[in-house]
Amino acid sequence: MRSPLLDTPGAVAAEAPDADVAGHYGDPFAEQRAFLAGEAMVDRSNREIVRISGPDRLSWLNDLTSQKLNDLKPGVPTQTLFLDAQGRVEHHLTLVDDGEAVWAHVEPGTSAELVAFLEKMRFMLRVEIADVTGDYAVVSVAEGTPVAPPEGSVVIGGDVLLPRALLADRLGGMSLAGLWAYEALRIEGHRPRLGFETDHKTIPHEVGWIGPALHLSKGCYRGQETVARVHNLGHPPRRLVFLHLDGSVDTLPRHGDPVTHDGAEVGFVGSAARHHELGPIALALVKRTVPVDATLQAGGVAAAQEVVVPPDAGRNVTIDPALRRRIR
């Protein structure tokens, strides 16, 4: 669903899967600064929105997903995951309950599959599921920005789900920042994005979703066995890293480009961007065993690591240091 804000003078469309919104409006660095100052909003109206109503909605979602939702208070934003039976991530939801329904936004092109799965899992429970992407649009502001959302909107932290017909009104006349600005700040904040820092094998431990999107002490849900096994007995095979890229190179690595160490492929680039202060940066998923101080090559660009998920993530077993030395 193409955004009307792409008709703004100077707007340049982002790349797929975000081609329906603007990557920038002519000055990406100025747009980053305006966003951080609370003066600009980002059009993320290509995100898809699902509304789940009914008195059983929270307990039902609590049973299906990774986050503890059965006692979620109205207005409190959170995240949750749908996992497959092997504990691999299938969907990532950013959501809030407004007292009558749960509102969640998801990646472009994923809501139909999610809704179809939810419909199959309804059984006799009192829940109603609707894809409301055609009626509502996501725009984002910096956390803490005072805004007065239009009537009928839903607020999820820094995200506002407003009636789509009001998208061109720019949330009270705010200036516009493109998705490039949002993505640069997301990468700086070490926040993974489904389909970018994840692939078909990704488990939650690898990208730091334990806590923000997964509650370790809640009841059973699909994929929980893998989560518990990694948490209690082992380590995830890969880990998310933040990369400071060589600023002397004109191009950025692209999503999926190989990350190498000493000539061997050890992972892939998730997202890369140019930050208004840090310069070129990226997130990547690499093998857990890659030394944390190693200089890597990301799509052929030299990259220094910053640890996001530590190599020893996952294991919840405490071993006496003297014993650990003996069993090595």
Side-chain angles (χ1 to χ4, degrees), residues 2-14 21-26 31 176 178:
R2 185 181 185 277
S3 172
L5 294 176
L6 268 176
D7 296 326
T8 304
V12 175
V21 298
H24 67 89
Y25 297 91
E31 292 164 26
L176 295 174

Side-chain angles (χ1 to χ4, degrees), residues 3-12 22 24-26 31 34-35 38-45 137-142 145-151 153 158 160-178:
S3 172
L5 294 176
L6 268 176
D7 296 326
T8 304
V12 175
H24 67 89
Y25 297 91
E31 292 164 26
F35 180 82
E39 299 168 355
M41 73 171 207
V42 174
D43 176 13
R44 301 174 70 211
S45 59
V138 181
V139 299
S140 295
V141 298
T145 300
V147 295
E151 185 176 353
S153 300
V160 180
L161 281 52
L162 48 78
R164 190 169 284 273
L166 302 179
L167 181 59
D169 293 343
R170 301 191 186 185
L171 198 61
M174 297 181 81
S175 65
L176 295 174

Side-chain angles (χ1 to χ4, degrees), residues 112-153:
E113 179 184 351
L114 175 61
V115 168
F117 173 76
L118 292 174
E119 289 287 357
K120 289 193 300 184
M121 302 302 293
R122 285 178 60 185
F123 304 117
M124 300 297 291
L125 296 172
R126 298 168 297 170
V127 293
E128 297 294 332
I129 306 126
D131 187 330
V132 295
T133 307
D135 299 318
Y136 289 85
V138 181
V139 299
S140 295
V141 298
E143 288 280 357
T145 300
V147 295
E151 185 176 353
S153 300

